[in-house]
Amino acid sequence: MHHRKAMLAALTLSLGTLSLGAVALAQTGLQKGITIAFLPKQVNNPYFATAWKGGQAAVKEFAGVGKQVGPSDAGASSQVSYINTLLAQRQKAIVVSASDQNALVPYLKRAMSQGVKVVTYDSDVAVGGRNVFVSQASADTIARDQVRILARQIGSKGEIAILSATPNATNQNAWIKVMQEELKKPQYKDMRLVKIAYGNDDDQKSFTEMQGLMQAYPNLRGVISPTTVGISAAARYLSGSPYKGKVALTGLGTPNQMREFVKNGTVQGFALWNPEDLGYLASYAAAALVSGQITGKEGEKFSAGKLGQRTVGKDGVVILGPLTVFDKNNIDKFNF
Amino acid sequence: MTVPQPAPPPAPQRPARSLLGWETTILALVAVALLVGSTLSDAFLTGANLSNLASNLVEIALIALTMTLVVIAAEIDLSVASIVGMCSALLGVLWAAQVPMGLAILGALGLGALAGLLNGWLVTRLGLPSLAVTIGTLALYRGLAYALLGDRAVADFPPFWTNLGFGLVPGTQLPIPIVAFVILAVVTAALLHATPFGRSLYAIGANEVAARFAGLRVGRTKLLLFVLSGLMSAFAAVVYTFRFSSARADNAVGLELSVIAAVLLGGVSIFGGRGSVIGVIAAVFLIGIIQNALTLADVPNEILTIVTGLLLILSVLGPNLAARVRAARQRRSTLAGPKGGAP
């Protein structure tokens, strides 16, 4: 074992003198050829495609072997069969965004017992189901920021609604809970949450749900849609309706999806973290786990390429950072 | 696996032979799929992978057993997946209300039987077509599932029970639920192929009016079939809930299509009167093997969906073509017959 490590060190050292890239490799101390599989909730979803772009870029930097697999429907049971498949393929690490908080846990535990490192990103699983969770931002920040943005747009007054994804999406539900708490604060006393609707992360369903909201609540002043599918469908409905510019819409969206609605005045501003960075960070976390640099304990540090050094927080959570707000002044600087 | 006794069918054209023909085709396809799978990936023919493969299929396989009986009797039950969702939700609600697990499971099974009873009652007493009835109850039961559990999920089941869902029989690679499936499959095969009740299903499916005149109690038989279907769906719900340690109203959404696809691919005639348990089990595993092998080989999702679609078309086309070939052969033999025999 020691012998092998020494050889590896010598090898990386000698390679390090050869090229700049290899120097970076020697500095990060990551193993080469680590196999990492991304398992998003859904393939063919632009958000996860962008996250995978970042994940793949990181894998390239540390000379690993990466791939993305996953179901085309957002059901937890379909993710389970992929976990089993990745186990059979002897992947070193699985980076997963969980469709269900609990359903995947027994299978991920089985994977970890066979030495596979498990990183969750975007949507976590229950305790014991993973080594590290790479979180977009803390649930508190994400939820409070969205309430704050909407409050500014409607002058902190009037009826508001939430258009979420599926009723059991772990992350959405956590945010909604914080939003409900946040709205109890004195500065929001004139804002009233009248309805939480679910568009199931389906474009058409979200569109009709938004339509339904406007019909059911004629006094609605604003809507928060904390899902990229929901906010763009809602914006499409608003931009073709008499409510355009009168009813505020904010939430979490990608600049490419929302650009036209920001420019035509339907949406003033919305927020998101950078999903590409999220995937990038998740890849590095997985590689650091496989290389034995971290185990998921609080206080451990690892280097995450261009994102610099990161620290594992409480309960094995690694936080990407604060949200970015996109509006007509900055939206053209982003392309994802 | 042993091939059960071929059914002594009452239909005039000796479908036993054609049935055997289609079964052989499906079993051959399973062999081909296993072979191709093992060339696609080294990880395919390993105990662990085959164990996962079987585990992933268990709910579909279970419900397909009773669906086989229902479709042979020329009926259909589209509400099975909704019954899974509803019973899973009830199991979660009862457990969250601190009902002992044994009682909670009994409650879920009882609800499934009741749901089946309602289906059967609407079909037999009101004489409504089962297709329409179960499309209705598909929505009704799913709605009740959401009414029971809403958007919550119950997950804190004791490890003893969840282990029954995803655990292996000690010392083997055999998933525990598969053992239950094997027992139920043997019981169902025996029921269908070796009892008067089973024979009556073929008779009812082939010609209901004739079956009535022959003194078969058609209504009662069908009622029982729907209750069995509901009960089996409830059992699948218990397995599903423990396997994913998650009771949710949206569990098993869309599962009815996989079940019916397997039943048809297995050679059960959608018009009733024809089919066997072994053919359906082979079809369930054929679909599972193909999907598993393609996934292992990193074949993209779209291709997987296309292949599944093609399989379904084959499931309708295959038995039909077989029937045509058989009819043509019979014509030839009747044409050739008189020449050699009678003057």
Side-chain angles (χ1 to χ4, degrees), chain A residues 43-44 67 69-72 77 80-82 84-85 88-89 99-100 102-103 106-107 110 167-168 198, chain B residues 43 49 52 56 151 155 166-168 240 243-246 248 250 292 295-298 301-302 304-305:
Chain A
V43 289
N44 304 329
K67 68 172 173 184
V69 295
S72 43
S77 51
V80 163
S81 67
Y82 280 98
N84 289 332
T85 307
Q89 289 175 334
S99 285
D100 182 295
N102 306 298
Y107 303 90
R110 191 185 281 171
N168 34 46
Y198 297 96
Chain B
N49 184 55
N52 288 329
N56 282 334
D151 47 23
F166 67 80
L168 305 173
Y240 194 108
R243 195 157 79 82
F244 295 111
S245 46
S246 183
R248 285 185 356 190
D250 68 346
N292 175 276
T295 314
L296 264 183
D298 286 331
N301 238 298
E302 304 80 53
L304 234 153
T305 316

Side-chain angles (χ1 to χ4, degrees), chain A residues 35 84-93 114 116, chain B residues 42-43 46:
Chain A
T35 51
N84 289 332
T85 307
L86 295 173
L87 205 54
Q89 289 175 334
R90 296 196 182 80
Q91 298 285 319
K92 290 277 188 212
Q114 294 178 23
V116 178
Chain B
D42 295 341
T46 59

